[in-house]
């Protein structure tokens, strides 16, 4: 419906104006995709200073007609609900907006015979919620309060999600809001300051209710707790608010030229003209919930409907929303080959799940019933490769069927790396018919990680022969064994392999993955061991637990170092340190294993982009070093501490 206000200020012929307005809105919206939800027949031309305004009366009548057309109108409801419904509407009249479930239970008990029992009360609340009469979530942390007057939440939101011209007069509050629209961040204490203002405070008269609203806004992905928040300090006190950020993404945000050889793309197209703003923020919000935001020049890479996230040490994800499309780039720091198929597939699965749940949430909020199995019809997914300054896409189903395709520009595109998006992570070894690396890929120099991972897969018995087949000699092997005596055999083999790489480079030759493949074949080992060095185990990667996103303190790393087995070298490399960095530690702590491990962990913490308990667990799992249980318990302990130190235990 359309209503124009301030008729009293009009000097011109209002009948004529109204005619023109009606014509304009009809023209504007007659082809809109939600046309059947729009009432175009008239524009109400109201004045707010006349309480007998006939136009307002006509508008009210129209609203009633609409209400009676709703499917819920006239629906039969249990007789027993009537008293409680009346009590609720009385509370609304008294300007009570949010009540505790306990209070409601007590009010209900006043109805003697007609009082609902506990499970009837629960049903009552859930049905009322689905009708939009109140808001109630039966989730831990949210089920102790009920918003009996939903517009209250809208007004609370408007206190910080609003246009600059509606910012409060108070200079201090205005600067808080200004900073938030620039950085996308708000401190909890600042948010509470904004909520101290009289018009907002009215809705949340005490701290318990304020805490409940904070938790609700987190649940709705309006406030997002940043990943890697310093949890050990007490309750996380800063939030990201994607829907208020005004900063426009930089002009080079989605330039592909520079990333051409290192990125694979994904595109979700929604079956509608555009993505509604609320849905767009929800999609960006769920992504920020899944991965830590990247920092660049000390600033969060969060923009209006766009963001850059760190998926792992070497892989970043760029997401932005354009018309009816969600665009995703996964960029590896080094090369396409360094993208792990497991990680790409895991990212895709997580994004798809988030987009589907955002769509479901969005449809439900607008009263459309849709089942989880039907949600796949609401979007299509394509995978793409950079092509000049553009990206060429093909449907994700096609990527497994064909090896290459010719695009509109007449170029041939390979589907090899695009298959990573839909890679079947459950297969542990290569599938039958795996042809291994391409001849181009085999020419690549193996990285530190490749060598360590390969070193971990060759048995010590065959290693000497393998090493000699790489063109090294027995003496060189024995000398490595001697230098690193006391280390695990896997560690020594990895050291020997770097020795090989160093020797080749010093002879001005290129050490390649092909050399390693040939040597594997020569000792009759499976050359697909090379395929395995590119795989990742993503079981831990997919655990969605906020507590695992905490940054461990130095003291925790010290405690952890006492629990880790003899694999400092492999651990260091898996954590993203270079051989040189690990080697320095090895020589600084020749006899003190825990000291050595601690040194490596501290180096990691200083250098890493993703210094969370979660990243540590993934590396420990890979090298099978122990310590995972310690970290899991640590994360639980940190969250318990937070609950104890939180001021409002009851709502947590
Ligand atoms: Zn192309
Ligand atoms: Zn293979």
């Amino acid at each position: 419906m359309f209503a124009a206000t301030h008729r009293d200020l009009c000097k011109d012929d209002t009948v004529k104006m109204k005619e023109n307005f009606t014509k304009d809105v009809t023209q504007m919206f007659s082809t809109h995709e939600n046309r059947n939800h729009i009432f175009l027949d008239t524009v109400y031309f109201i004045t707010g200073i006349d309480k007998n305004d006939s136009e307002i009366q006509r508008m009210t009548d129209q609203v009633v007609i609409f209400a009676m057309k709703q499917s819920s109108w006239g629906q039969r409801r249990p007789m027993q609900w009537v008293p409680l419904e009346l009590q609720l509407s009385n509370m609304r009249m008294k300007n009570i907006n949010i009540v505790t479930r306990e209070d409601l239970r007590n009010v209900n008990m006043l109805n003697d015979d007609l009082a609902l029992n506990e499970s009837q009360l629960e049903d009552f609340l859930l049905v009322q919620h689905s009708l939009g009469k109140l808001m109630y979530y039966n989730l831990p942390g949210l089920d102790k309060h009920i918003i009996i007057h939903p517009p209250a939440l809208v007004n609370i939101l408007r206190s910080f999600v609003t246009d600059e011209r509606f910012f409060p007069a108070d200079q201090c509050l205005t600067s808080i809001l200004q900073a938030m629209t620039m950085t996308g961040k708000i401190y909890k204490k600042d948010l509470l300051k904004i909520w101290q203002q009289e018009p907002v405070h009215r809705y949340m008269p005490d701290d318990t209710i304020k805490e409940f609203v904070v938790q609700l806004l987190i649940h709705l992905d309006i406030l997002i707790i940043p990943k890697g928040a310093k949890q050990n300090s007490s309750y996380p006190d800063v939030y990201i608010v994607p829907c208020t950020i005004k900063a426009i993404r930089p002009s080079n945000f989605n330039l592909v030229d520079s990333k051409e050889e290192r990125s694979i793309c994904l595109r979700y197209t929604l079956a509608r003209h555009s993505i509604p703003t609320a849905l767009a923020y929800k999609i960006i919000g769920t992504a920020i919930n899944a991965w830590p935001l990247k920092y660049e020049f000390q600033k969060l890479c969060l923009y209006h409907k766009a963001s850059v996230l760190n998926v792992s040490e070497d892989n970043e994800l760029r997401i932005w929303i354009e018309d009816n499309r969600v665009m995703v780039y996964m960029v590896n720091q080094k090369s396409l080959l360094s993208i792990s198929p497991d990680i790409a597939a895991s990212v895709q699965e997580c994004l798809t799940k988030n987009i589907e749940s955002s769509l479901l949430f969005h449809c439900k909020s607008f009263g459309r019933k849709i089942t989880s199995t039907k949600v796949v019809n609401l979007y299509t997914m394509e995978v793409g490769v950079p092509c000049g300054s553009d990206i060429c896409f093909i449907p994700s189903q096609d990527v497994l069927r064909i090896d290459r395709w010719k695009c509109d520009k007449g170029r041939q595109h390979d589907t090899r790396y695009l298959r990573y998006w839909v890679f079947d992570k459950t297969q542990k070894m290569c599938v039958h018919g795996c042809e291994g690396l391409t001849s181009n890929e085999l020419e690549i120099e193996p990285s530190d990680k490749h060598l360590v991972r390969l070193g971990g897969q060759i048995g010590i018995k065959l290693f000497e022969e393998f090493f000699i087949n790489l063109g090294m000699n027995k003496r060189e092997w024995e000398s490595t064994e001697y230098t690193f005596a006391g280390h695990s055999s896997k560690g020594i083999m990895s050291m020997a392999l770097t020795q090989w790489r160093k020797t080749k480079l010093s002879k001005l030759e290129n050490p390649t993955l092909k050399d390693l493949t040939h040597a594997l074949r020569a000792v009759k080992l499976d050359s697909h061991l090379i395929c395995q060095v590119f795989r990742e185990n993503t079981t831990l990667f997919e655990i969605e637990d906020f507590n695992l996103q905490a940054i461990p303190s130095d003291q925790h790393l010290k405690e952890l170092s006492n629990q880790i087995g003899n694999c400092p070298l492999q651990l260091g490399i898996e954590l993203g340190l270079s051989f040189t960095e690990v080697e320095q530690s090895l020589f600084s702590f020749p006899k003190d294993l825990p000291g050595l491990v601690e040194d490596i962990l501290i180096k990691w913490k200083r250098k890493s982009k993703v210094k969370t308990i979660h990243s540590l667990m993934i590396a420990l799992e890979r090298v099978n070093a122990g310590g995972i249980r310690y970290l899991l318990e640590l994360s639980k302990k940190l969250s318990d501490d937070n609950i104890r130190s939180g001021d409002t235990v009851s709502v947590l």
Side-chain angles (χ1 to χ4, degrees):
M1 274 172 74
F2 297 88
T5 60
H6 292 90
R7 193 187 68 226
D8 53 302
L9 296 181
C10 286
K11 294 191 184 77
D12 300 338
D13 177 7
T14 51
V15 178
K16 187 102 190 115
M17 275 178 88
K18 201 167 148 184
E19 251 170 44
N20 289 338
F21 268 137
T22 314
K23 217 186 285 163
D24 286 349
V25 293
T26 312
Q27 204 186 2
M28 255 186 249
F29 294 98
S30 56
T31 56
H32 194 274
E33 61 184 309
N34 287 327
R35 167 70 187 88
N36 54 332
H37 294 290
I38 306 175
F39 184 66
L40 292 174
D41 300 349
T42 186
V43 171
Y44 296 96
F45 221 47
I46 59 178
T47 168
I49 52 171
D50 175 9
K51 66 176 172 190
N52 298 318
D53 184 25
S54 63
E55 253 330 50
I56 292 187
Q57 192 49 52
R58 292 205 306 120
M59 191 168 78
T60 317
D61 295 345
Q62 187 60 52
V63 171
V64 173
I65 293 172
F66 286 145
M68 287 167 67
K69 280 188 191 157
Q70 294 294 309
S71 56
S72 55
W73 183 267
Q75 230 169 48
R76 296 174 72 84
R77 60 184 196 278
M79 189 65 169
Q80 261 193 312
W81 286 9
V82 176
L84 195 56
E85 279 187 346
L86 285 175
Q87 284 155 329
L88 281 173
S89 82
N90 273 335
M91 288 194 229
R92 287 183 198 115
M93 306 262 265
K94 287 185 198 146
N95 282 326
I96 300 173
N97 298 286
I98 303 175
V99 296
T100 64
R101 203 174 186 290
E102 189 59 40
D103 286 344
L104 196 71
R105 194 178 289 133
N106 294 337
V107 169
N108 169 54
M109 291 322 275
L110 299 175
N111 299 328
D112 299 328
D113 288 358
L114 285 174
L116 306 176
N117 66 29
E118 196 54 27
S119 81
Q120 288 169 329
L121 184 61
E122 184 78 12
D123 287 345
F124 170 83
L125 289 172
L126 292 173
V127 172
Q128 298 278 320
H129 173 98
S130 72
L131 295 174
K133 290 191 179 174
L134 48 74
M135 291 176 84
Y136 168 69
Y137 294 87
N138 57 344
L139 297 168
L142 298 177
D143 57 356
K144 301 231 168 26
H145 286 81
I146 300 134
I147 303 184
I148 60 170
H149 184 55
L153 188 67
V154 176
N155 288 329
I156 292 170
L157 267 178
R158 277 212 299 239
S159 68
F160 65 104
V161 182
T162 185
D163 197 77
E164 188 144 3
R165 73 191 124 141
F166 300 118
F167 283 0
D170 181 313
Q171 195 50 51
C172 167
L173 298 182
T174 297
S175 54
I176 290 173
L177 291 171
Q178 265 160 349
M180 179 182 67
T181 56
M182 294 305 297
T183 61
K185 279 194 297 193
I186 188 162
Y187 286 92
K188 186 174 180 180
K189 62 174 174 24
D190 290 340
L191 185 63
L192 294 178
K193 248 184 231 165
I194 290 172
W195 286 354
Q196 278 311 327
Q197 296 173 91
E198 191 33 50
V200 204
H201 183 72
R202 201 155 49 91
Y203 299 111
M204 302 175 286
D206 67 56
D207 288 352
T208 330
I209 294 184
K210 287 197 175 92
E211 191 57 40
F212 157 71
V213 173
V214 166
Q215 295 304 319
L216 179 61
L217 296 179
I218 292 172
H219 172 71
L220 297 175
D221 293 323
I222 291 167
L223 295 180
I224 298 190
I225 302 177
K227 294 260 142 161
K230 277 199 196 98
Q231 288 227 319
N232 41 5
S233 58
S234 89
Y235 205 65
D237 69 341
V238 64
Y239 303 111
I240 296 174
V241 202
C243 61
T244 60
I245 184 110
K246 294 265 164 38
I248 301 295
R249 58 175 200 259
S251 55
N252 62 355
F253 184 87
N254 49 332
L255 272 189
V256 281
D257 302 10
S258 57
K259 307 174 189 94
E260 183 159 4
E261 292 301 318
R262 299 180 285 121
S263 44
I264 49 178
C265 317
L266 201 57
R267 176 169 76 182
Y268 295 88
T269 309
L270 270 56
R272 50 193 304 157
H273 291 304
S274 64
I275 298 184
T277 316
L279 179 59
Y281 293 139
K282 177 109 182 147
I283 292 172
I284 295 287
T286 52
I288 304 173
N289 257 330
W291 301 286
L293 273 166
K294 181 181 174 178
Y295 270 90
E296 216 169 43
F297 311 115
Q298 324 246 309
K299 273 167 77 179
L300 284 177
C301 296
L302 176 66
Y303 313 100
H304 180 65
K305 296 187 192 171
S307 63
V308 189
L309 307 147
N310 284 320
V311 171
S312 63
E313 212 57 49
D314 300 336
N315 296 301
E316 69 177 36
L317 206 59
R318 293 177 172 257
I319 300 184
W320 72 102
I321 291 171
E322 223 173 51
D323 303 325
N324 62 337
R325 298 183 300 268
V326 182
M327 308 288 294
V328 183
Y329 282 0
M330 181 147 130
V331 188
N332 185 278
Q333 247 176 17
K334 300 191 191 81
S335 64
L336 279 174
L337 182 63
S338 310
I339 295 180
S340 148
D342 300 87
I343 289 188
S346 168
V347 164
Q348 178 271 113
E349 284 166 24
C350 182
L351 280 169
T352 304
K353 187 178 124 238
N354 284 346
I355 288 177
E356 287 188 357
S357 68
S358 302
L359 280 168
L360 272 176
F361 180 86
H362 188 76
C363 290
K364 262 204 225 149
S365 313
F366 287 90
R368 267 174 67 196
K369 288 201 180 66
I370 178 156
T371 56
S372 312
T373 48
K374 291 277 162 54
V375 74
V376 293
N377 302 329
L378 299 180
Y379 68 92
T380 53
M381 184 174 91
E382 294 157 296
V383 297
V385 294
C387 174
S389 58
D390 247 341
I391 310 169
C392 291
F393 287 96
I394 55 164
S396 58
Q397 313 78 279
D398 292 356
V399 86
L400 293 173
R401 283 195 299 105
I402 52 172
D403 290 333
R404 55 189 65 83
W405 84 99
K406 200 169 180 181
C407 74
D408 297 345
K409 291 182 192 150
R411 287 210 211 172
Q412 285 276 356
H413 293 303
D414 210 310
T415 56
R416 183 176 178 81
Y417 300 107
L418 296 182
R419 289 180 185 177
Y420 286 3
W421 284 125
V422 288
F423 181 75
D424 177 6
K425 297 178 281 139
T426 52
Q427 53 178 60
K428 285 280 169 280
M429 300 306 286
C430 292
V431 283
H432 187 71
C434 165
E435 288 173 6
L437 303 188
T438 65
S439 50
N440 273 346
E441 290 167 350
L442 284 170
E443 293 304 326
I444 289 171
E445 179 182 321
S447 70
D448 293 350
K449 231 178 223 180
H450 297 154
L451 294 179
V452 164
R453 289 179 177 184
L454 189 64
Q457 292 189 77
I458 304 173
I460 187 79
K461 282 205 190 105
L462 276 177
F463 188 82
E464 188 179 322
E465 202 189 334
F466 170 78
F467 196 58
I468 288 166
N469 270 291
L470 282 173
M472 304 294 281
N473 59 45
K474 198 177 164 69
R475 193 182 40 78
E476 283 162 317
W477 167 235
E478 282 169 353
S479 127
T480 312
E481 267 190 306
Y482 179 77
T483 316
F484 296 99
H487 285 276
S488 69
S489 55
K490 285 179 181 173
I492 299 174
M493 290 188 282
S494 307
M495 272 305 178
L497 288 176
T498 53
Q499 196 58 45
W500 159 72
R501 189 177 58 186
K502 222 186 265 170
T503 312
K504 271 210 114 170
L505 287 170
S506 67
K507 290 187 202 155
L508 301 180
E509 291 172 351
N510 294 328
T512 63
L513 289 169
K514 194 171 162 184
D515 300 335
L516 295 169
T517 312
H518 285 166
L520 282 173
R521 289 210 185 105
V523 295
K524 304 209 163 45
L525 275 170
D526 186 359
S527 60
H528 290 278
L529 289 180
I530 295 285
C531 303
Q532 289 298 311
V533 305
F534 296 96
R535 299 288 308 270
E536 302 283 344
N537 182 345
T538 52
T539 17
L540 277 174
F541 197 76
E542 280 153 22
I543 300 181
E544 285 184 46
D545 181 349
F546 179 75
N547 299 319
L548 296 182
Q549 301 299 338
I551 301 176
S553 70
D554 290 359
Q555 180 57 33
H556 295 140
L557 294 182
K558 192 184 190 65
E559 283 170 26
L560 175 65
S561 65
N562 288 313
Q563 318 240 350
I564 293 181
N566 190 1
C567 57
L569 169 71
Q570 297 97 301
L571 180 62
I573 300 299
E574 286 296 339
L575 285 172
L577 302 186
S578 70
F579 253 117
T580 328
E581 286 168 307
V582 176
E583 225 172 358
Q584 278 163 359
S585 303
L586 291 181
F587 290 118
S588 316
F589 295 86
K591 286 187 181 128
D592 172 9
L593 182 61
L596 167 60
V597 172
E598 187 189 344
D599 193 55
I600 286 174
L601 293 175
I602 299 279
K603 275 186 183 164
W604 160 77
K605 193 179 152 190
R606 227 180 288 142
K607 175 179 170 182
S608 172
K609 281 179 258 169
V610 198
K611 45 191 112 197
T612 58
I613 291 185
H614 194 229
S615 304
L616 259 183
M617 281 169 76
I618 290 172
L620 286 170
E621 149 98 316
R622 178 93 201 191
V623 300
N624 202 2
I628 294 186
R629 187 143 296 281
Y630 167 81
L631 287 174
L632 206 61
E633 271 155 24
L634 171 66
S635 73
K636 283 196 197 115
K637 191 173 146 290
L638 287 177
S639 83
D640 289 348
D641 288 352
N642 285 331
I643 289 178
R644 265 199 302 279
S645 65
D647 39 4
T648 44
V649 179
S650 61
V651 290
L652 295 167

